[in-house]
Amino acid sequence: MSIDYSIYAVTDRRYHPGVAIDTVVEEAILGGATIVQLREKTAQGKEFFDQAVRLKTLTDRYDVPLIINDRIDIALLTGAGLHIGQEDIPLTAARRLLPDAVIGVSVATVAQAIEAERDGASYLGVGSLFATLSKADADSMSHTMLQAIREAVRLPLIGIGGITATNVSSLPIPLEGYAVISEIFAKEDRQLAAQQMTDAVREWHQSLQNRV
């Protein structure tokens, strides 16, 4: 199954207090988001599950994949994909429970990237590529490391951390996808913000093709 990872919208309700999560996600999809991750660190089990059920119904309607951050139980219950970090459930165990699901893994080194590819990851999250307020403890990734990971694996790479429509073209290499949180969900007009991000990525990739 071919997946368009290009505009990877990651939720964070801190940016839209009082507005339902399915409302803001639909706005992001209408603006061009191609994949959605439910990442709500402060949501308890039942609330997280309820959000996942609502978003799965919504994303299915638009034929957009839904990814669940960390919670393999909720990914199983809703039929969604999963994204895990280095401190979460091991990928080999997750793959046994979700043999056909999209599973992404956050990596920070070449060794982690190679291991994730070997163990069955669908894509890799790489970063933090820029400073970000969404994850205060995120370590920065140098351009040298990013390029080394690109050369070491064939999996799609999704850039994470502080990516905006303004700075995406300053990355050293094009990626298969760009994860954005505040660049969409902190904006008053989320559909327009997603469209601007979509346009910026398209224009940058087109400019790279024109150089060849």
Side-chain angles (χ1 to χ4, degrees):
M1 178 178 62
S2 178
I3 295 177
D4 182 353
Y5 293 102
S6 55
I7 308 299
Y8 190 128
V10 182
T11 71
D12 188 331
R13 62 182 173 179
R14 294 176 299 174
Y15 291 117
H16 51 88
V19 184
I21 193 167
D22 36 349
T23 296
V24 299
V25 167
E26 184 167 27
E27 291 169 348
I29 292 173
L30 290 172
T34 59
I35 185 168
V36 174
Q37 182 185 135
L38 177 60
R39 181 183 182 272
E40 297 295 335
K41 294 294 188 179
T42 61
Q44 299 301 310
K46 183 179 185 302
E47 181 185 18
F48 197 107
F49 174 72
D50 289 343
Q51 290 177 341
V53 169
R54 296 205 316 272
L55 285 192
K56 189 65 168 63
T57 299
L58 172 67
T59 55
D60 282 353
R61 189 162 76 242
Y62 286 100
D63 198 25
V64 168
L66 176 66
I67 306 296
I68 303 297
N69 182 265
D70 294 351
R71 295 291 301 269
I72 191 170
D73 54 339
I74 293 179
L76 273 165
L77 289 168
T78 59
L82 179 70
H83 187 90
I84 53 177
Q86 294 297 311
E87 304 302 319
D88 298 322
I89 183 172
L91 174 57
T92 50
R95 194 40 95 192
R96 287 197 297 271
L97 291 174
L98 297 169
D100 301 316
V102 175
I103 302 181
V105 181
S106 295
V107 301
T109 68
V110 170
Q112 290 174 354
I114 292 172
E115 180 181 35
E117 183 172 55
R118 181 197 67 207
D119 291 343
S122 306
Y123 70 87
L124 303 178
V126 289
S128 180
L129 300 181
F130 300 98
T132 174
L133 297 176
S134 299
K135 192 175 182 182
D137 60 347
D139 293 328
S140 62
M141 175 177 285
S142 69
H143 287 180
T144 300
M145 178 59 70
L146 177 61
Q147 290 174 311
I149 290 173
R150 173 71 291 165
E151 293 170 4
V153 297
R154 292 186 171 184
L155 291 176
L157 300 185
I158 314 303
I160 296 171
I163 298 172
T164 69
T166 302
N167 67 21
V168 66
S169 62
S170 67
L171 291 172
I173 55 174
L175 305 175
E176 284 75 22
Y178 305 89
V180 286
I181 303 177
S182 61
E183 180 69 355
I184 292 177
F185 294 114
K187 303 297 177 65
E188 185 173 346
D189 191 333
R190 288 164 286 266
Q191 183 172 338
L192 176 60
Q195 182 62 61
Q196 290 172 334
M197 189 69 202
T198 301
D199 291 344
V201 167
R202 183 183 298 117
E203 289 169 9
W204 181 46
H205 283 212
Q206 185 62 53
S207 72
L208 293 173
Q209 291 176 12
N210 291 342
R211 296 176 198 172
V212 177

